[in-house]
Amino acid sequence: MSVLVVVECDKGEVKKSSLEVASYGAQVAQALGTTATAIAVGEASEASLASLGEQGISKVLYDNEARLKEFVNGAYTKLIAAAAEQEQAQVIVLANSNIGTSVGSRLAVRLQASLATNVVELPRVEGGNFIVKRGAYSGKAFSDVVLLNDRKIIAVKKNSIEALHNAGQTAQVQSFSAQLADTDFADAPKQVIMQEQTGGVPLPEADKVVSGGRGMKGPENWHLIEDLAKALGAATACSKPVSDVDWRPHHEHVGQTGITVSPNLYIACGISGAIQHLAGVNSSKVIVVINKDPEAPFFKAADYGIVGDVFDVLPKLTQAVKELG
């Protein structure tokens, strides 16, 4: 079985989630006694693609068609399918992202492949069965899934595997063309309104997140969240009620109906912990809750809790982080 890894790129760089996916694919390839090839999508630089060798990728295919710099479902599906056919890939690995889940289902139909999303561990083979473990019910449970078809597609959940870093290793970057036609871009949006984030860390890719709720009492106090986030090198986020009243933009809303995050550290400030919010953050490795209400539901899900007023705690915590350096 050869392994094909789908690598998402943005502004010339490989996304962090795709570094994890590349490492996952390389380890799958090693277990199967083969090599891992990547197909890059989005805007990438040759240097960033070559650096995927550090994650164990031997070769990277890249189609420099200008229209592929932005996500187009049909075109991306045809591109990845063409790469899979050329490389005779039996296992395709991608991120459990908006792009990955959208393309994954189409690929499964086109390639007649088994598809498993939200995968959290490397696969195992038992009794001839190819088995993967995936999260279910917003991370509250796990299930083992047997992928029966000859071709298998695995969408890996962010932060579920450590990215490898074999310094000095480089991948061979090769030009690739899927011979895309205008019809392959038929589902491209006719008009794109971009709201580009300026400064800070993009929320979906963040290792650390500082989030605020109604306990912040108003947008004029949000500098306390931003100060701590800046000191930590973290992204900022908010609860749904905060975005609903326009204290913060909707692209910062974390929860079941917003963005789902899986950072190493999630700090919740003045958030009570409604079930819908927990569904979007419960995959975080460490959750810290700051709330003056000792009965706040969020404390039940927290690894660490501080019972106190956010207006007293946050400045002291920010200062402590700065002193540590």
Side-chain angles (χ1 to χ4, degrees):
M1 293 185 183
S2 61
V3 176
L4 181 70
V5 177
V6 181
V7 173
E8 298 176 26
C9 305
D10 185 38
K11 298 177 184 175
E13 299 296 327
V14 177
K15 293 182 179 179
K16 178 183 177 297
S17 56
S18 284
L19 295 178
E20 297 169 3
V21 166
S23 299
Y24 184 102
Q27 291 178 70
V28 172
Q30 184 178 32
L32 296 175
T34 185
T35 57
T37 296
I39 174 71
V41 296
E43 184 180 358
S45 68
E46 185 168 343
S48 67
L49 296 180
S51 69
L52 286 167
E54 296 184 3
Q55 281 73 52
I57 300 297
S58 59
K59 180 174 65 176
V60 182
L61 306 176
Y62 184 56
D63 190 332
N64 61 4
E65 157 70 60
R67 290 175 293 180
L68 288 171
K69 290 182 179 179
E70 301 295 338
F71 173 52
V72 181
N73 210 335
Y76 274 34
T77 301
K78 184 174 180 179
L79 173 72
I80 298 165
E85 295 291 358
Q86 175 181 294
E87 299 300 313
Q88 297 183 330
Q90 297 300 105
V91 179
I92 300 170
V93 183
L94 33 70
N96 198 74
S97 61
N98 289 336
I99 293 175
T101 52
S102 296
V103 170
S105 55
R106 287 192 175 205
L107 279 174
V109 173
R110 183 184 284 261
L111 299 176
Q112 296 185 332
S114 296
L115 169 64
T117 60
N118 220 31
V119 174
V120 297
E121 286 183 2
L122 289 166
R124 64 185 191 274
V125 178
E126 294 180 359
N129 292 322
F130 192 94
I131 304 170
V132 294
K133 183 177 182 179
R134 63 181 302 272
Y137 302 112
S138 299
K140 295 182 180 65
F142 298 95
S143 62
D144 285 342
V145 179
V146 179
L147 303 185
L148 298 174
N149 290 28
D150 290 339
R151 275 199 165 119
K152 302 140 194 348
I153 301 173
I154 302 172
V156 182
K157 185 177 181 180
K158 181 182 178 294
N159 224 7
S160 60
I161 188 167
E162 197 78 28
L164 303 174
H165 291 284
N166 299 314
Q169 300 295 316
T170 58
Q172 180 186 6
V173 181
Q174 292 184 3
S175 178
F176 176 76
S177 176
Q179 303 296 321
L180 299 173
D182 289 342
T183 52
D184 297 315
F185 294 89
D187 57 348
K190 299 299 184 286
Q191 181 180 12
V192 179
I193 300 174
M194 300 293 290
Q195 286 186 315
E196 189 167 342
Q197 178 176 323
T198 57
V201 181
L203 184 55
E205 296 292 310
D207 277 334
K208 298 180 281 289
V209 176
V210 181
S211 187
R214 283 181 294 185
M216 297 305 298
K217 297 185 178 179
E220 67 277 5
N221 298 316
W222 220 259
H223 64 93
L224 297 172
I225 298 289
E226 292 169 336
D227 289 347
L228 178 57
K230 184 177 180 180
L232 288 168
T236 59
C238 68
S239 61
K240 185 176 186 296
V242 167
S243 64
D244 284 346
V245 295
D246 291 328
W247 289 2
R248 299 300 295 171
H250 283 276
H251 66 254
E252 289 191 6
H253 161 211
V254 167
Q256 191 171 35
T257 57
I259 295 173
T260 300
V261 295
S262 304
N264 288 321
L265 174 64
Y266 185 82
I267 303 177
C269 310
I271 302 175
S272 62
I275 189 65
Q276 292 86 353
H277 187 81
L278 288 173
V281 306
N282 61 8
S283 294
S284 305
K285 290 193 175 178
V286 175
I287 295 177
V288 178
V289 173
I290 305 170
N291 202 301
K292 65 181 180 181
D293 179 8
E295 301 301 320
F298 218 151
F299 281 120
K300 295 179 181 178
D303 296 286
Y304 301 94
I306 301 174
V307 178
D309 193 318
V310 290
F311 299 105
D312 294 330
V313 175
L314 285 178
K316 295 175 182 177
L317 185 55
T318 301
Q319 184 59 36
V321 170
K322 289 178 178 178
E323 289 175 357
L324 287 172

